[in-house]
Amino acid sequence: MERRLHPITPWRRAWAPIALVIGWAVHDPDTVQHRVSQLTTAALLAGIAVLVAGGALYGFLTWWFTHFAVTDTELRIRTGLVFRRTAHIRLDRLQAVDVTQPLLARFVGVVKLKLDVVGTDKKDELAYLGERDARELRAELLARAAGFAPETAHTVGEAPARQLLHVPPRTLALSVALTGSAWGPVVVALVVPPVLWVLTHSPWTVIAVALPLLGGAGARSVGRFIAEYDWTVAESPDGLRIDHGLLDREHETVPPGRVQAVRIIEPLLWRRLGWARVELDVAGSSNSVLLPVAPRTAVPGLIARVLPGVTAPQDFSPSPRRARWCVPVWWRGYGFAVTEAVFAARHGLLRRSVSLVPHAKVQSVRLVQGPWRRAWGLADVHVDTGAGSTVSAHLRDGAEAETLLYAQADRSRTGRRTARPDRWMA
C-alpha cells in the first residue's frame, strides 16, 4: 500500500524557485536593481506574491507525486513531477537506515530517513516523515533485512540498544582545541589579514582574504564541535548505533560485517592525555567516524565489536634506516605488522595513525616501486579494501615487500573462505 510523506514536506521544496531568483540577483545585481527600479510598488508586491505562490505550488506538486511502499522484497519510492523516477531498493541489499533530524525539523517533529544500499554510492532518502512513523518504518525495514517474514516484520519493533561510550562536551571541546588542524587555520586567519593590510592598505583585499580564512577556521573548530556534540555509541543486534549533533541530530548505524578498515588516530597533544580517535571505512556507506575522542584504553573493546577477533598490534617493524634518503625525518613514523587476523600499517610522527584491515576484507594487493626507491632497494605494499580505500606499508625492504605481497594474497584468500557471512542481527 503506497504512502505519502509528512504534509510539512512541501515546504522543503517550496524554496527552490525563490532560490533561483535570489541566485540570479546575486549573479547580476546591476540588472536586477535596474529592473526593480522600473517597477511600481503594486507590481513589485504582485511579483513577490506570484513567486511565493509558485514556490508553494511547486512544493505541493512534488509532495503529491511522491509515494513509497514496502513490498515483500523491496522498498519502492516513486518521485518526479515531469520526469518520473522509481527506485527499487531490495531489502536484502539494505545495510543501514540512518535517521537525520535538521534543526528546523526538530521543532515540527519530523525526521529524514537515509538508506544505505550495498553497491550504491548515493543514498536514497525519505524526507520527511513523522518521528513515530519514521522509527516504525525503520524498524520494519531492518527486520525485513534481517530475514523476518513480511507478516511479522512490523511487529518486531526497534532492537534494544546498550550504551557503550559517551563523549562529554568538555572533553570534545578540549580535544578540538588540542588538534592542529583546528587551531592552525585560526592562526593563519589572524596573521595573514594584518600582513596584507601592511602590504596593500586595501580594505577590500583584506576582507576578501579574511572572510574565507575565518570561515574555514570556524568550520574546522566550531563546526566540528557542533557536528560531534553529545556523541554516543550504543550496541544493538543490528550494529553499533551512533547519535550526535548539537543543531542537526544524526542517528547512524554501523552495519555488522560491512566495516572494511579501522584507523586509530593520535594527535601529538592528545597522547599525554591518553586520547585517541577512531575512524572507519564502511563499504557503500558515508559513515567515517566511530568515535571522535575517547580514552585509549577504551579503543580495543570498541574495535572488537566492529571487527570481531581483531586487536591492534603493539609491535611494528620499522622501515630500514636507508629509508631516510627517500623520506627524510618522517620515515621514522612508518611501521608495519601482520597478525593472524589483520594487516596493520602505521604512519605519522606528529599525528600518528594506525590502520587495520582484516585479511578477509582485502580485495587486492599491489607492490609499487619508483625509480628512486628501487635504487635504495625499497618498495611500498598497498592493500585495497572493498570500501575503495587503501592501506599502505611504506618504505619496506624490496625483498621483504615481495615476500609480503604473495603472503598477503594467500592470507586474504584463506580469510575470505573462513569469514562469516555479512548478515543483519546475526
Side-chain angles (χ1 to χ4, degrees):
M1 183 177 180
E2 291 192 339
R3 290 178 278 177
R4 285 194 175 91
L5 301 175
H6 194 275
I8 199 67
T9 303
W11 296 105
R12 174 174 176 257
R13 297 290 181 84
W15 60 268
I18 301 175
L20 183 64
V21 175
I22 295 175
W24 171 60
V26 173
H27 178 71
D28 193 0
D30 294 334
T31 303
V32 173
Q33 184 179 6
H34 177 69
R35 296 286 179 84
V36 171
S37 63
Q38 294 179 335
L39 298 176
T40 63
T41 303
L44 181 61
L45 293 177
I48 294 174
V50 171
L51 180 62
V52 172
L57 179 62
Y58 172 78
F60 173 79
L61 291 177
T62 56
W63 169 77
W64 183 261
F65 286 98
T66 299
H67 304 81
F68 69 95
V70 182
T71 69
D72 291 345
T73 59
E74 66 182 14
L75 169 65
R76 186 170 59 245
I77 304 175
R78 294 197 298 116
T79 59
L81 176 59
V82 179
F83 300 99
R84 303 307 303 273
R85 173 183 178 269
T86 302
H88 299 269
I89 302 173
R90 288 174 48 186
L91 298 179
D92 59 349
R93 303 288 289 175
L94 192 65
Q95 66 174 8
V97 183
D98 298 334
V99 179
T100 303
Q101 195 171 31
L103 179 61
L104 295 179
R106 294 169 65 181
F107 289 106
V108 294
V110 296
V111 300
K112 179 192 303 184
L113 290 186
K114 292 184 177 181
L115 310 168
D116 264 342
V117 183
V118 177
T120 61
D121 295 329
K122 182 180 179 181
K123 290 185 178 182
D124 284 289
E125 63 180 34
L126 293 173
Y128 290 93
L129 297 170
E131 289 189 43
R132 179 179 177 181
D133 294 338
R135 298 193 182 279
E136 290 178 353
L137 178 60
R138 178 183 182 275
E140 181 181 358
L141 293 176
L142 296 186
R144 296 281 192 94
F148 285 91
E151 58 272 11
T152 60
H154 67 281
T155 63
V156 173
E158 188 173 17
R162 180 174 65 89
Q163 182 174 312
L164 298 177
L165 289 169
H166 176 260
V167 180
R170 182 179 178 181
T171 301
L172 178 62
L174 183 58
S175 69
V176 172
L178 295 178
T179 303
S181 60
W183 52 259
V186 175
V187 174
V188 174
L190 295 177
V191 172
V192 172
V195 173
L196 286 177
W197 173 255
V198 172
L199 295 176
T200 64
H201 293 285
S202 172
W204 297 112
T205 302
V206 173
I207 293 174
V209 174
L211 288 180
L213 289 176
L214 291 173
R220 289 292 186 90
S221 55
V222 179
R224 177 175 165 182
F225 176 82
I226 291 175
E228 298 177 352
Y229 180 83
D230 194 30
W231 195 284
T232 304
V233 180
E235 185 180 35
S236 71
D238 55 4
L240 289 184
R241 296 180 185 173
I242 300 174
D243 291 274
H244 61 95
L246 177 60
L247 301 180
D248 297 349
R249 292 294 297 175
E250 299 277 348
H251 177 87
E252 303 171 348
T253 302
V254 179
R258 301 300 300 175
V259 178
Q260 305 293 303
V262 173
R263 287 181 302 279
I264 306 170
I265 300 173
E266 296 176 277
L268 178 62
L269 298 179
W270 288 20
R271 295 177 205 168
R272 298 184 68 88
L273 299 174
W275 290 347
R277 178 182 177 92
V278 183
E279 297 180 351
L280 303 174
D281 291 327
V282 182
S285 175
S286 60
N287 297 341
S288 61
V289 180
L290 178 60
L291 200 60
V293 60
R296 186 65 175 78
T297 54
V299 171
L302 199 60
I303 293 178
R305 284 176 166 82
V306 294
L307 296 177
V310 171
T311 57
Q314 300 299 319
D315 297 325
F316 287 82
S317 173
S319 300
R321 187 171 179 80
R322 64 181 182 275
R324 69 184 185 276
W325 299 108
C326 296
V327 182
V329 180
W330 302 107
W331 69 275
R332 297 179 180 276
Y334 292 114
F336 161 74
V338 175
T339 67
E340 294 182 358
V342 71
F343 177 99
R346 184 190 67 196
H347 71 274
L349 286 177
L350 300 181
R351 187 176 185 268
R352 188 166 59 199
S353 175
V354 175
S355 300
L356 309 175
V357 182
H359 299 312
K361 303 299 183 180
V362 174
Q363 300 294 312
S364 62
V365 187
R366 297 175 286 119
L367 187 148
V368 178
Q369 190 178 43
W372 183 248
R373 299 193 179 190
R374 186 163 55 247
W376 290 99
L378 300 171
D380 299 337
V381 178
H382 302 287
V383 168
D384 302 315
T385 71
S389 60
T390 300
V391 176
S392 303
H394 290 285
L395 302 175
R396 308 310 304 173
D397 179 78
E400 178 195 17
E402 187 174 356
T403 302
L404 174 61
L405 177 71
Y406 295 106
Q408 183 58 45
D410 291 337
R411 281 190 291 265
S412 300
R413 283 192 293 268
T414 303
R416 284 192 293 271
R417 284 197 300 266
T418 59
R420 298 175 59 190
D422 296 341
R423 287 291 300 168
W424 282 95
M425 301 183 183

